[in-house]
Amino acid sequence: MSTSTESAPKTLSWKVGGMDCASCATKIRGAVERLPGVGDVRLSVMSETLTLVLDETQTSAATVEKRVNGLGYTTAALAQAPVVKPAAEAGACCGGHGHSHDHDRADHGHDHAGHDHAAHKSGKAAGGDEADRGHGLPGHVHEATPEGARWYRTGKGRLVLVTGALLAAAWIVGAVRHDIAYWAFLVACLIGVAPVAKRAFAAARAGIPFTIEMLMTIAAIGALFIGAAEEAALVVFLFAVGEVLEGVAADRARASIRALGALVPKTAIVEENGVGRQVDATSLSIGQIVLVRPGDRIPADGEITDGTSGIDESPVTGESVPKTKGVGEPVYAGSVNREAALRIRVEKAAQDNTIARIIRLVEEAQEARAPTERFIDRFSRWYMPAIVGLALAVALVPPLLFAGEWSVWIYRALALLLIGCPCALVISVPAAIAAALSAGARQGLLMKGGVVIETAARTGLVAFDKTGTLTQGRPRVTDIVALGRDGRDVLALAAAVEAGSAHPLAEAVLERARADAVAFVPAAEAAALAGQGVTGKVDGRTVFVGAPRHATSRAPFDRSAHAAVESLESAGKTVAAVIVDGMLAGLIALRDEPREDAAAAMAELRAMGVRATMLTGDNARTAAAIAGALGMEHQAELMPDGKVAALKQLAAGTTVMMVGDGINDAPALAAAGIGIAMGSGTDVALETADGAVLKSRVSDVPAMIRLARAAMGNIRANIAIALGLKAVFLVTSVLGYTGLWVAILADTGATVLVTANALRLLRFDAGKPA
């Protein structure tokens, strides 16, 4: 930690070990905000970082660390505080990504350990009080298993071993010497409960008295006073076991996000003046040329300047089939170069590459709490004091009013305290949300938080932009109508005249000629006629390619030619006439065709009971043709503000999801109930949207809705499990059928059960229709 003598407040940052949930963040926030000279406290649960502004003339950094350590967490100062911006700007930043992975070949590159998430920072998490307020029981410390470390090397793991050994020793001593058995269990209980009590009182001093540690301490000490030392020691041991199990389960949900960061290599080979040198990948700057050998992972987002190779983008997009890419085409950090050496110009800095953006989006999403989670948070605020009040009533009322035995009713009250802990309930939602977000990220489906998941699950209508979303975004030749000559000859003549043009329609003609292996020689005297078409000389013949309405003045069109033009245009296609020396040689039809999976995706949405409509700025005839082929509703000739108005009208009766890819879609994405950007789209669309489909597949839209519905089903099941078990054991504890050790076992069991159920979502295949 920097210790400058300057008096100006400084931004400092720590890695906080064991901060696994929003309630942990709440406790830390409450503890450090009370220190003089501390301000702008920001925590990121996903990256386990604490950032604050500190006036060291009032409070030292060591004092902050001591306060956090007293709550049962570990702290490690970071050399540089992550840059944290407000939520509105979060998309543009992602701190410094401290990846520490070897630049391995792809065959070995999957086994990266030691990824340091410390420098990742969520702007949304840091910026909003609601995000950091905590999901329930504030004192429930979860200690994540450090990456690569065994459970028994963690603090909680060592507590399990110590309390287990003490308990076993007490049983052995008790079997040999019955007269000292009580004292053996007393010692085992006190040693085991000491670290728990320390955390409990530290939290109480910070103004948070109702914690699981406090309940645990009261129950254990209370049991000792009524002579139940053996059960008290057993309860402490089971509590420690439960903490370890919860920590391991929570860390599994975080592991898939760590794995994303492990995809980016640590080093890169930069070429300067023909000489290559190895540098840190995080130091790459825009414009540098990097050499990527066959088998290497690509170190940065960029553009190929030399070479052609098969690129495996599955680590980034989930797309399993490698794509052949050449000069001028984009590539993404973390992708694997499979075939030949490539030279790539860096287009984005390390903190802005695709992997970094995915991690940032998921980290932000972890902090954007679902409405259900916020409700449970509010519920737990009065539930905990109510349980404590009920336990007091159980302990006092029967003995005072009905001559009940004090030891019996105090014992039942202590059991009630333990079973009343709402840990399973408050973790049921965030555990499922975290697992769903991680599963989605691995499958190329990004959703920015629990509120997005809940909204997506309720979606009743999906509105799609046309160009670049439902379609490829570029025209393709669909029909060649030859009139009096061979179709390949018509294509060759058109390609010869279009050879020098960069117009999208010209590129489509040239692409079709290459695909059909049609040979042609670029035309002589080629010229573009503004608003009409292009003309040129091919083997001494004058060739014109242009719209039929301009071609009719250059050549006669008979009835069949007019009918062919009308038929093609009614199908929403753009028609180009090919005229040779004043005679119509043929017609070429082009259209921006729907993506291959678009029709199947519409069928999936219908099967799920979700309507689909297309909102486009294109002309009505083309929109009707595309929508008709896909079996969906449509509205055409809409400007960006028109799309917003249409969405508001559609949203009157149901939850609407908008899917788009361009800058012109950004207002509509923001206005919809939930906005989803296609991964191939613009940065503006990706940052404005509530989520993204990175594979740019239309079928991923129903997949995202399926994942959201599965997550909400999982949450409902978790809540039912948690409340059901609590209800049963609350009754049995008051009636005396279950004791202390059963109570803590039921509480821990319920917490582990709902966490394990949530982790099932990590294996959910969203692409498979139910």
Side-chain angles (χ1 to χ4, degrees):
M1 185 66 60
S2 172
T3 56
S4 170
T5 57
E6 297 176 11
S7 60
K10 292 182 294 185
T11 299
L12 304 178
S13 186
W14 290 266
K15 175 87 168 180
V16 181
M19 183 171 62
D20 277 348
C21 58
S23 66
C24 302
T26 299
K27 186 165 69 170
I28 294 171
R29 177 188 296 278
V32 300
E33 278 185 337
R34 288 174 166 78
L35 294 172
V38 172
D40 197 16
V41 179
R42 300 170 179 182
L43 296 116
S44 173
V45 175
M46 192 64 186
S47 57
E48 295 181 289
T49 53
L50 162 65
T51 302
L52 50 80
V53 175
L54 181 65
D55 181 355
E56 292 192 271
T57 61
Q58 300 184 56
T59 299
S60 68
T63 303
V64 174
E65 293 177 4
K66 184 178 180 181
R67 176 64 63 93
V68 176
N69 293 340
L71 298 174
Y73 302 96
T74 61
T75 54
L78 296 178
Q80 183 177 0
V83 178
V84 183
K85 296 188 179 181
E89 301 176 49
C93 71
C94 194
H97 291 277
H99 301 298
S100 54
H101 321 292
D102 293 333
H103 182 63
D104 287 343
R105 293 300 179 94
D107 293 6
H108 316 292
H110 295 287
D111 188 24
H112 293 283
H115 172 56
D116 182 6
H117 256 313
H120 292 309
K121 193 67 187 170
S122 168
K124 188 174 290 185
D129 289 338
E130 192 65 35
D132 279 326
R133 204 167 287 161
H135 72 237
L137 193 58
H140 197 175
V141 174
H142 309 284
E143 180 171 19
T145 304
E147 189 178 357
R150 300 291 184 180
W151 65 268
Y152 49 79
R153 292 180 180 173
T154 67
K156 295 291 171 55
R158 288 190 291 271
L159 181 61
V160 167
L161 296 178
V162 170
T163 54
L166 289 170
L167 188 61
W171 271 323
I172 293 171
V173 169
V176 177
R177 295 278 305 275
H178 294 285
D179 55 327
I180 63 171
Y182 174 84
W183 299 104
F185 284 114
L186 174 68
V187 171
C189 175
L190 290 177
I191 293 175
V193 83
V196 179
K198 182 181 177 182
R199 296 203 307 265
F201 289 114
R205 285 194 301 272
I208 312 169
F210 296 112
T211 64
I212 179 59
E213 285 87 358
M214 185 61 77
L215 298 188
M216 186 68 229
T217 302
I218 293 171
I221 301 301
L224 292 179
F225 275 106
I226 61 173
E230 182 177 358
E231 283 197 83
L234 181 59
V235 163
V236 172
F237 171 70
L238 291 175
F239 174 77
V241 170
E243 291 277 88
V244 168
L245 292 176
E246 291 169 36
V248 171
D251 194 56
R252 281 195 57 191
R254 196 182 268 137
S256 62
I257 304 303
R258 285 200 299 262
L260 284 174
L263 295 174
V264 180
K266 181 180 179 181
T267 60
I269 300 173
V270 173
E271 280 199 348
E272 294 173 344
N273 301 320
V275 178
R277 62 185 178 90
Q278 188 166 291
V279 301
D280 190 327
T282 59
S283 70
L284 290 173
S285 58
I286 295 173
Q288 286 186 307
I289 302 297
V290 295
L291 172 66
V292 182
R293 300 164 299 185
D296 280 355
R297 291 189 182 276
I298 295 171
D301 284 10
E303 184 178 289
I304 297 174
T305 60
D306 179 48
T308 300
S309 181
I311 306 295
D312 177 7
E313 296 181 344
S314 60
V316 182
T317 66
E319 185 63 60
S320 58
V321 180
K323 294 181 180 178
T324 300
K325 292 192 173 186
V327 174
E329 294 190 85
V331 291
Y332 306 115
S335 301
V336 181
N337 178 21
R338 287 293 185 195
E339 297 164 3
L342 294 174
R343 285 173 177 80
I344 297 168
R345 181 173 58 249
V346 177
E347 297 289 342
K348 290 186 178 178
Q351 64 267 27
D352 294 321
N353 68 38
T354 303
I355 293 290
R357 290 171 66 198
I358 293 172
I359 292 172
R360 181 176 67 244
L361 288 171
V362 176
E363 286 179 353
E364 289 175 1
Q366 295 276 9
E367 314 305 331
R369 298 161 63 234
T372 303
E373 187 178 347
R374 289 196 292 267
F375 169 77
I376 289 177
D377 182 19
R378 292 193 298 270
F379 172 77
S380 66
R381 289 176 189 273
W382 63 262
Y383 172 85
M384 278 295 293
I387 286 292
V388 172
L390 181 60
L392 279 173
V394 168
L396 299 175
V397 172
L400 291 176
L401 300 183
F402 305 104
E405 189 176 340
W406 279 100
S407 61
V408 170
W409 288 102
I410 290 175
Y411 181 89
R412 292 180 183 182
L414 295 176
L416 181 63
L417 273 183
L418 293 180
I419 196 61
C421 169
C423 299
L425 181 62
V426 298
I427 204 173
S428 60
V429 178
I433 294 294
L437 292 171
S438 299
R442 282 206 317 276
Q443 298 173 57
L445 309 173
L446 292 184
M447 290 179 282
K448 297 181 182 178
V451 65
V452 176
I453 290 178
E454 289 200 21
T455 307
R458 296 196 308 269
T459 297
L461 184 147
V462 181
F464 291 91
D465 172 53
K466 181 182 78 70
T467 305
T469 301
L470 284 173
T471 67
Q472 296 283 359
R474 60 181 187 273
R476 292 188 301 173
V477 174
T478 59
D479 303 88
I480 300 174
V481 180
L483 300 171
R485 64 178 66 218
D486 182 64
R488 290 174 64 85
D489 187 29
V490 173
L491 183 58
L493 289 167
V497 176
E498 299 279 19
S501 174
H503 192 280
L505 297 181
E507 291 178 351
V509 169
L510 295 171
E511 183 180 337
R512 177 62 179 268
R514 286 192 292 268
D516 290 357
V518 172
F520 63 90
V521 177
E525 301 176 26
L529 305 177
Q532 297 185 40
V534 291
T535 184
K537 293 280 188 178
V538 180
D539 295 332
R541 295 172 293 175
T542 301
V543 179
F544 170 82
V545 179
R549 65 179 180 276
H550 300 299
T552 52
S553 63
R554 295 172 176 269
F557 276 56
D558 59 20
R559 184 175 299 175
S560 63
H562 279 295
V565 170
E566 187 157 340
S567 173
L568 292 169
E569 288 186 339
S570 65
K573 299 176 182 179
T574 299
V575 180
V578 181
I579 308 294
V580 181
D581 287 337
M583 297 296 294
L584 179 62
L587 303 170
I588 296 178
L590 307 96
R591 188 171 72 176
D592 183 9
E593 289 289 89
R595 295 180 185 269
E596 294 179 0
D597 63 335
M602 298 307 111
E604 286 183 40
L605 288 173
R606 285 193 294 273
M608 296 165 67
V610 178
R611 291 165 52 209
T613 188
M614 181 172 69
L615 304 179
T616 179
D618 211 339
N619 67 77
R621 180 183 286 182
T622 301
I626 297 287
L630 297 177
M632 61 191 304
E633 307 163 26
H634 74 281
Q635 294 186 40
E637 301 178 6
L638 297 173
M639 296 297 285
D641 57 344
K643 291 183 181 181
V644 173
L647 282 171
K648 289 179 179 177
Q649 186 178 9
L650 293 169
T654 186
T655 301
V656 177
M657 174 188 289
M658 174 70 194
V659 185
D661 79 316
I663 291 176
N664 64 323
D665 295 322
L669 292 174
I674 172 175
I676 302 299
M678 296 295 273
S680 61
T682 65
D683 288 352
V684 173
L686 287 170
E687 301 302 347
T688 304
D690 300 303
V693 288
L694 297 181
K695 299 179 191 176
S696 296
R697 293 197 315 210
V698 184
S699 58
D700 279 348
V701 174
M704 180 176 284
I705 295 175
R706 267 194 296 273
L707 176 60
R709 290 181 175 180
M712 293 310 298
N714 189 285
I715 286 170
R716 286 189 287 270
N718 277 349
I719 292 173
I721 291 170
L723 290 179
L725 286 174
K726 295 295 178 192
V728 169
F729 284 98
L730 280 172
V731 173
T732 57
S733 295
V734 172
L735 297 179
Y737 294 116
T738 50
L740 288 178
W741 71 272
V742 176
I744 192 65
L745 195 61
D747 172 62
T748 298
T751 304
V752 173
L753 196 59
V754 298
T755 305
N757 185 46
L759 291 178
R760 290 192 308 114
L761 287 169
L762 291 173
R763 299 192 300 272
F764 184 79
D765 184 0
K768 185 183 295 184

